[in-house]
Amino acid sequence: MNALRSILVRRETGIAVMIVLFTVVVSLYKPQFFTLNSLRVILLLTPLVMIAAMGQMLVLVARHVDLSIGSMLGLSAMVTGMMFRDMPGIPWGLGFVVAIGIGALLGLVNGALVTLFRLPAIIVTLGTLNLYRGLTFIVSNARQVDRQFIPSELKAMSQTSPILGIPWIIFMAFAVALATYWFVMHTRVGRQIFALGSNPVAAPLRGIKVTQVTLLVFAISGALSGLAGIMYASRWGFVNPSNTGFGFEFQVIAAVVIGGVSINGGVGSVLGVVLGVLLMGCVAAALPLLGIPGTAQGAIYGAVILVALLIDRSVRQQGIAGLRIARA
Amino acid sequence: MSAADTTRNIAGREAAPPRPLLHVILVRPETMTLALLILAVIVASQLSPFFLDINYILRSFTLSAEFAIVALVFTMVIIAGEIDLSPAANMALSACLFAWAQASGIPMPVAILIGLAAGLAMGALNAFMVIALQLPSIIVTIGTLTLYRGLAQIIAGDKSIRVPDWFIGIDKVLVLGIPVPVVIFVVVSLLLGLILAGTIFGRQIYQIGTNEVAARYAGIRTRRIKLVLFLLMGLVAAVAGMMTASRLGSVRYDLGLGGELQMVLMAMLGGTYIFGGRGTILGTFLAAWLLVVVSTGMTVANLLPAIQLTVLGVLLIVAIIATNFIYSRTQR
């Protein structure tokens, strides 16, 4: 009974129920939503967001925020795309190394500015958001990398499937999620991120190397944005200096906070974030069916962030009230 | 004013001797801003002789006057220890509502009122989430920034809405040879500067930003003051949005896109302390001119907009590091 109750009050259950309710309501209205094809559409919308969301989750858990992920995605995708264009015959797998490496480097710059100068992450990443976007234009001379330059093996990852017609990139996204799960639940550093976020003052007293952990968190966020960058090239087959990754941060933050990651740090689960990403995917896939124009997406992301904040707050208050009842 | 204040505070303590007045004046972020401004003008005038023409600079200023006006209120919000990233999106949504209302036949004064009311309402929503619900303003305003911009996109779609001809061209109207947006900016600067430095209300804003708990125990109505600031932010953003509409002659949902960076940059370059409790309107005032000279200088030097974006990003990080360094060197 207790086990059942603890499952029911979990945040993940709440999001799962929201996904089911949403699917049922939309399917009653538009039966074609409840098909395997729309499941495929939903899954195809999610991999980029899911990968970047894992990094953003770690950053938020450590009580920071990373607004620059869209620009890191754009810059690493651009450099990788240009490498494919200007060095034909280069092994396509190398693109992953380059994209992840560049992303990690950019993330490390964010982390270094935040830790060394003790600056708030919001301002630093607002600065680098514009800085990295500008650099994307500079390295590319404001030119797009066109479809014919992206290796066909890379593009095939978004189309061919090992099993059940589900493309490779979706398996990769879930692999990243699993790896993140293992990292945060079963490694010392992973647990230290949570300790740091729940109490930044106590963390150094417990022997946690705050600087290193913070640098690591931002580097991971950057590396995963880089991975999302090369997946962008795979998924869409081009890299554009102004479109690639633009406004991506809001999608990711919306998915992460609706997935139950607390903006006050220290709280968040991989399962919750995965469900949050899927919920946002469901919403995005349902919009065209419901006849809502794509222009409404931005407003929906914003509303989702605010709703998530409200849920977060009421959960926190109930938690405190619950404690009081338990003590009385 | 605040220099004298600092001296008095230090004299009040027994341990530290008062710093020499020259030191107090020189080691201030605003001095850095002024020095940079002079440097920027000298460099820019080497690039183009236009920079020695005051009319050219005034005309260039009208391009970012709207952001500069909002940045003044933004400075006060930062000093109070909060942040509001939504005003640029607020500008877009209130301008879109206003343009949409007048395009659908609602009389102009009513349409303007609708725009202003929308701005106030957006400020009120921010205030409600931050003050009543005690949510961190950083994430709240990231959420509302996305929401407001998204709503503007729903209203305007991909089209641009025209405003009537007589409404166009606020930046071409001159008062004593000075474009109206610049006049508004200067008047608002004077007004807010006097309020912030010279009234009890203004000093209380500093106290909230320095230590909110202590301020509350000292009997300051912290919630009410923050409410006033967020509402003022919303209203001023709406006015700025309509000024932009008048300057551009039409309204699109991407009006003021990227304005967050400009506003944060003006406040940070002006020496506002990001963690609250320090900063002046004078600093932001100087920084606005500095930013205009730098941006115009880059345009005159034929730098691509993308490179300008990079420069602004670097400038933001350098400004905040420099400001924090200066404050760490001076006593509170």
Side-chain angles (χ1 to χ4, degrees):
Chain A
M1 194 60 211
N2 256 343
L4 184 69
R5 194 164 173 269
S6 73
I7 290 176
L8 281 181
V9 298
R10 283 182 69 111
R11 177 63 178 269
E12 288 83 359
T13 321
I15 314 164
V17 169
M18 272 156 78
I19 295 179
V20 172
L21 275 181
F22 185 83
T23 317
V24 168
V25 169
V26 176
S27 309
L28 285 178
Y29 190 63
K30 290 272 172 191
Q32 65 265 43
F33 186 66
F34 199 69
T35 55
L36 264 180
N37 186 43
S38 71
L39 180 69
R40 208 180 114 86
V41 171
I42 293 169
L43 284 178
L44 264 178
L45 284 167
T46 51
L48 302 185
V49 178
M50 191 180 295
I51 289 173
M54 290 300 141
Q56 187 70 254
M57 176 187 101
L58 296 181
V59 175
L60 279 175
V61 165
R63 238 188 239 199
H64 292 289
V65 64
D66 190 347
L67 290 182
S68 68
I69 49 174
S71 299
M72 292 196 287
L73 186 159
L75 183 51
S76 44
M78 181 51 80
V79 175
T80 317
M82 288 172 64
M83 184 184 79
F84 288 138
R85 185 186 65 198
D86 301 336
M87 299 182 220
I90 203 164
W92 65 279
L94 201 63
F96 282 89
V97 181
V98 172
I100 293 174
I102 289 173
L105 195 69
L106 298 175
L108 211 55
V109 171
N110 285 338
L113 288 167
V114 168
T115 51
L116 295 185
F117 298 99
R118 293 174 190 280
L119 303 178
I122 179 114
I123 302 290
V124 168
T125 53
L126 181 67
T128 52
L129 157 76
N130 292 279
L131 170 60
Y132 296 158
R133 181 61 61 189
L135 283 178
T136 311
F137 277 94
I138 294 174
V139 295
S140 66
N141 257 328
R143 268 170 51 217
Q144 173 171 320
V145 174
D146 288 323
R147 198 166 170 81
Q148 68 266 27
F149 298 115
I150 308 291
S152 48
E153 294 91 338
L154 186 60
K155 283 183 285 195
M157 287 190 67
S158 309
Q159 272 117 37
T160 58
S161 134
I163 186 168
L164 288 175
I166 300 168
W168 279 103
I169 54 168
I170 293 169
F171 284 102
M172 284 190 61
F174 279 96
V176 168
L178 274 179
T180 314
Y181 178 81
W182 174 81
F183 174 67
V184 296
M185 300 305 277
H186 295 287
T187 65
R188 177 183 290 257
V189 182
R191 299 314 299 163
Q192 285 181 342
I193 298 172
F194 281 78
L196 173 62
S198 356
N199 193 336
V201 180
L205 303 177
R206 295 285 293 182
I208 293 173
K209 299 194 172 82
V210 176
T211 312
Q212 278 98 320
V213 173
T214 314
L215 282 176
L216 179 73
V217 163
F218 276 99
I220 291 177
S221 174
L224 291 179
S225 304
L227 179 59
I230 189 161
M231 312 266 277
Y232 184 99
S234 159
R235 173 85 179 80
W236 305 105
F238 66 89
V239 184
N240 182 290
S242 53
N243 291 343
T244 300
F246 189 81
F248 189 58
E249 52 276 0
F250 300 117
Q251 284 182 51
V252 172
I253 291 176
V256 171
V257 293
I258 196 74
V261 177
S262 167
I263 29 139
N264 294 309
V267 179
S269 77
V270 171
L271 180 62
V273 173
V274 169
L275 289 172
V277 172
L278 289 178
L279 177 61
M280 299 301 292
C282 284
V283 174
L287 285 184
L289 278 180
L290 296 174
I292 300 169
T295 47
Q297 285 213 7
I300 288 173
Y301 295 136
V304 163
I305 294 177
L306 296 182
V307 168
L309 288 178
L310 291 178
I311 298 175
D312 204 36
R313 177 178 178 274
S314 58
V315 168
R316 208 165 60 223
Q317 282 201 333
Q318 276 171 11
I320 295 167
L323 272 181
R324 277 199 202 117
I325 293 164
R327 273 188 202 155
Chain B
M1 167 66 217
S2 43
D5 249 21
T6 321
T7 325
R8 207 184 311 138
N9 284 343
I10 291 164
R13 268 192 256 161
E14 291 198 329
R19 287 184 294 147
L21 185 63
L22 192 67
H23 188 198
V24 170
I25 295 172
L26 278 184
V27 188
R28 286 195 64 81
E30 292 88 349
T31 319
M32 168 190 86
T33 317
L34 186 62
L36 283 177
L37 177 59
I38 294 169
L39 185 73
V41 171
I42 293 172
V43 172
S45 60
Q46 297 299 311
L47 288 172
S48 152
F50 285 125
F51 273 94
L52 296 175
D53 178 8
I54 184 75
N55 286 321
Y56 179 73
I57 294 189
L58 287 178
R59 270 205 311 277
S60 318
F61 193 87
T62 56
L63 296 180
S64 45
E66 298 95 8
F67 291 147
I69 293 168
V70 181
L72 296 169
V73 189
F74 181 77
T75 308
M76 293 168 78
V77 174
I78 297 262
I79 292 175
E82 298 288 348
I83 193 167
D84 187 351
L85 292 174
S86 69
N90 182 334
M91 282 166 68
L93 181 51
S94 41
C96 277
L97 272 172
F98 148 75
W100 170 78
Q102 59 85 25
S104 54
I106 293 171
M108 204 57 177
V110 183
I112 291 179
L113 276 182
I114 288 176
L116 294 180
L120 262 184
M122 284 182 258
L125 177 62
N126 285 337
F128 174 73
M129 304 276 289
V130 173
I131 301 167
L133 302 184
Q134 309 247 307
L135 294 167
S137 51
I138 289 178
I139 301 280
V140 166
T141 55
I142 288 179
T144 53
L145 134 75
T146 323
L147 178 68
Y148 298 162
R149 179 76 66 190
L151 289 176
Q153 202 172 1
I154 291 178
I155 291 171
D158 289 333
K159 300 185 295 287
S160 54
I161 310 174
R162 277 195 64 79
V163 295
D165 283 338
W166 65 266
F167 189 77
I168 300 175
I170 192 175
D171 54 320
K172 301 287 191 300
V173 183
L174 302 181
V175 174
L176 303 173
I178 302 168
V180 170
V182 182
V183 175
I184 298 179
F185 172 66
V186 172
V187 170
V188 174
S189 304
L190 280 175
L191 206 66
L192 292 182
L194 285 176
I195 289 176
L196 193 59
T199 66
I200 295 174
F201 176 78
R203 303 315 299 176
Q204 286 178 339
I205 294 177
Y206 282 98
Q207 292 177 19
I208 295 173
T210 310
N211 189 336
E212 191 179 346
V213 179
R216 206 179 304 132
Y217 283 131
I220 296 174
R221 297 169 194 270
T222 55
R223 294 153 71 98
R224 183 178 296 181
I225 290 176
K226 282 186 182 175
L227 175 67
V228 170
L229 287 179
F230 275 108
L231 289 179
L232 185 64
M233 193 76 182
L235 187 63
V236 171
V239 173
M242 271 175 255
M243 285 169 64
T244 318
S246 163
R247 177 164 60 82
L248 299 175
S250 65
V251 176
R252 280 168 50 96
Y253 81 92
D254 59 358
L255 179 147
L257 193 68
E260 302 84 25
L261 175 74
Q262 300 250 345
M263 293 166 200
V264 175
L265 192 50
M266 284 179 196
M268 295 299 121
L269 271 178
T272 312
Y273 188 47
I274 184 65
F275 298 107
R278 292 176 144 201
T280 55
I281 294 291
L282 175 66
T284 306
F285 179 82
L286 292 173
W289 291 101
L290 171 60
L291 205 57
V292 166
V293 173
V294 170
S295 318
T296 321
M298 288 194 294
T299 311
V300 169
N302 270 331
L303 290 184
L304 287 172
I307 301 180
Q308 301 191 16
L309 204 62
T310 316
V311 172
L312 295 187
V314 173
L315 207 56
L316 174 59
I317 291 165
V318 171
I320 175 172
I321 291 174
T323 308
N324 283 8
F325 180 75
I326 291 174
Y327 280 133
S328 72
R329 283 301 158 113
T330 56
Q331 290 134 322
R332 281 192 89 96

